[in-house]
Amino acid sequence: MSTALHDDVSSGVLRRMKEGGFDFASFHPIEFYAIFPDEERARQATRNFRGESLHALVTERDDGAWHLQVSKVMYATHAGIGDFEQDLASVVLPLGGTLDGWGVTQEVKASRP
């Protein structure tokens, strides 16, 4: 995915989050995704993403590829997300993986009857 297209996608997601009332003033676990052709390379990538605010998980997909999910606790900002995706790409791409986007869970406050 080109950088310009990716920026447009991230900008759109962040805009919809704002419209939905997302709490940008708080830290959130933001999930970043990548796909690898085999488990070995997916697990090799996880070695670069460990720490207090990071968690990496590798799972097999139904199609035989391997899914890497890296969760980073951070503010949901365009710059922060873009910077981390660049860091992720610098690890994933040389190992033959591809980036597969990012996401964050938004808590929905129940309305009172």
Side-chain angles (χ1 to χ4, degrees):
M1 179 181 300
S2 77
T3 303
L5 176 60
H6 170 73
D7 284 345
D8 288 346
V9 170
S10 287
S11 294
V13 170
L14 290 165
R15 184 175 50 258
R16 287 190 304 278
M17 289 167 58
K18 182 177 180 180
E19 292 166 356
F22 187 82
D23 179 10
F24 286 95
S26 297
F27 287 108
H28 297 276
I30 299 181
E31 317 297 337
F32 296 87
Y33 307 102
I35 299 170
F36 289 88
D38 58 62
E39 181 180 14
E40 182 180 334
R41 288 186 267 186
R43 295 215 180 271
Q44 188 176 349
T46 66
R47 295 183 195 120
N48 294 278
F49 300 104
R50 294 190 181 159
E52 187 174 314
S53 65
L54 291 170
H55 176 75
L57 175 68
V58 173
T59 55
E60 187 172 14
R61 294 171 23 138
D62 291 339
D63 64 1
W66 288 82
H67 189 251
L68 169 64
Q69 175 183 324
V70 178
S71 178
K72 181 175 182 182
V73 177
M74 61 188 284
Y75 288 111
T77 66
H78 191 273
I81 289 167
D83 288 348
F84 190 78
E85 281 192 313
Q86 285 183 341
D87 292 344
L88 184 63
S90 71
V91 171
V92 168
L93 299 178
L95 293 172
T98 57
L99 296 183
D100 196 33
W102 63 270
V104 62
T105 301
Q106 180 170 339
E107 292 183 27
V108 178
K109 297 184 181 187
S111 59
R112 297 184 183 213

